[in-house]
Amino acid sequence: MPKAKATTEVVEVVMKTEDTPPQQSENEKSVDAPKKEKVRRSTRISKKRALLKLDPKAPPKSGAVLYIGHIPHGFYEEQMRGFFSQFGEITRVRLSRSIKTGKSKHYAFVEFQFPQVAVIAAEAMNNYLMNGKILKVHVMPDKDLHDKMMIGSNRKFTKVPRGKVEREKRDKERTEDQKKERMSKLLKRDDTRRKKISEAGIEYDFAGYEATIPEKCSHKKF
């Protein structure tokens, strides 16, 4: 009889362990918790950005746009958004760049969601020393705002390969009209050089680009 009781107790323990799900260790729980928190936080941020996302071609908001001048090297769109977001929600950031080289022109426009935040940010950041440069920050008056001010904002800057562009521009095939126009410009440039040399009282002459023009064949009729 005692042996039968022992076997029944073993069977009951085995059945209980099969029915109950395996328990996670404390380390596994601690690993899974941050993942859920990270997913929730990312969805919150994406929703907030979707709410604040504006059309870059939309006119700027009155009293909510900051002008930032004397911007130092290395303080670009991403850094600017991260720094000024401590004051409040930013809707658009536009750093003025050179069309040819893409380099910063050292002034930008930052648009906040609320005008009151823009006033506070301007008072706090005007004459602020950053990387050896004194920032000049003020709220843009309505008379200086125009519809095309924020075009190109909230766009990631991609570096233009100027060397490649210039090589392709220089090495491309030209039409006969383009070749004639280019040669006429070069000949005019040689004429201006000759005039400057003669005006300086120097007796000197050079062949110039005219010597590179092939002579036309003269066909005689018999």
Side-chain angles (χ1 to χ4, degrees):
M1 292 299 287
K3 288 183 181 178
K5 286 182 181 180
T7 52
T8 52
E9 287 176 359
V10 171
V11 171
E12 287 177 359
V13 169
V14 171
M15 290 177 68
K16 284 180 181 178
T17 54
E18 286 180 354
D19 293 337
T20 56
Q23 293 182 354
Q24 290 182 339
S25 63
E26 292 182 358
N27 293 331
E28 290 177 351
K29 287 180 181 179
S30 62
V31 170
D32 292 340
K35 286 183 180 178
K36 291 179 181 178
E37 183 63 28
K38 194 180 286 185
V39 170
R40 288 173 188 169
R41 190 170 172 229
S42 63
T43 51
R44 268 202 317 271
I45 292 168
S46 61
K47 284 179 182 179
K48 190 179 281 186
R49 283 180 180 172
L51 288 170
L52 296 175
K53 192 176 181 182
L54 293 175
D55 184 12
K57 295 182 180 179
K61 195 181 292 183
S62 175
V65 180
L66 288 185
Y67 166 82
I68 307 169
H70 296 184
I71 296 172
H73 175 69
F75 194 58
Y76 302 136
E77 291 92 343
E78 187 178 351
Q79 294 81 8
M80 207 173 297
R81 181 180 286 276
F83 186 84
F84 280 92
S85 60
Q86 64 181 311
F87 297 101
E89 296 295 340
I90 294 173
T91 53
R92 289 181 289 185
V93 176
R94 177 180 165 257
L95 175 65
S96 184
R97 290 179 177 272
S98 171
I99 297 173
K100 189 173 182 180
T101 61
K103 292 183 179 179
S104 171
K105 291 184 179 180
H106 305 287
Y107 70 92
F109 304 100
V110 176
E111 185 184 55
F112 286 93
Q113 188 180 9
F114 303 106
Q116 298 87 349
V117 178
V119 174
I120 294 168
E123 291 175 355
M125 294 306 299
N126 191 31
N127 295 327
Y128 184 84
L129 182 63
M130 178 182 287
N131 294 341
K133 297 282 187 179
I134 298 175
L135 298 181
K136 295 296 178 183
V137 185
H138 65 265
V139 180
M140 295 285 292
D142 293 344
K143 63 177 183 178
D144 295 336
L145 299 176
H146 55 86
D147 295 341
K148 296 183 179 180
M149 177 177 283
M150 303 306 291
I151 290 178
S153 61
N154 293 352
R155 186 174 62 183
K156 190 175 180 181
F157 172 71
T158 53
K159 191 175 181 181
V160 180
R162 297 307 309 174
K164 184 180 178 182
V165 172
E166 291 298 328
R167 278 197 304 274
E168 290 177 354
K169 187 178 178 181
R170 186 185 65 238
D171 298 339
K172 71 176 182 180
E173 291 290 332
R174 293 183 175 86
T175 61
E176 290 297 325
D177 294 335
Q178 288 175 342
K179 289 178 182 178
K180 288 178 182 178
E181 185 180 358
R182 184 167 177 265
M183 185 56 68
S184 65
K185 287 180 180 179
L186 294 172
L187 293 175
K188 284 180 182 178
R189 200 177 295 171
D190 285 345
D191 291 338
T192 54
R193 284 199 190 100
R194 288 191 183 95
K195 287 179 182 178
K196 287 180 180 179
I197 290 169
S198 63
E199 287 173 0
I202 301 170
E203 293 182 2
Y204 176 75
D205 194 13
F206 58 94
Y209 286 101
E210 194 172 359
T212 61
I213 300 173
E215 294 181 359
K216 291 182 180 180
C217 299
S218 57
H219 297 283
K220 292 183 180 180
K221 292 182 180 180
F222 295 99

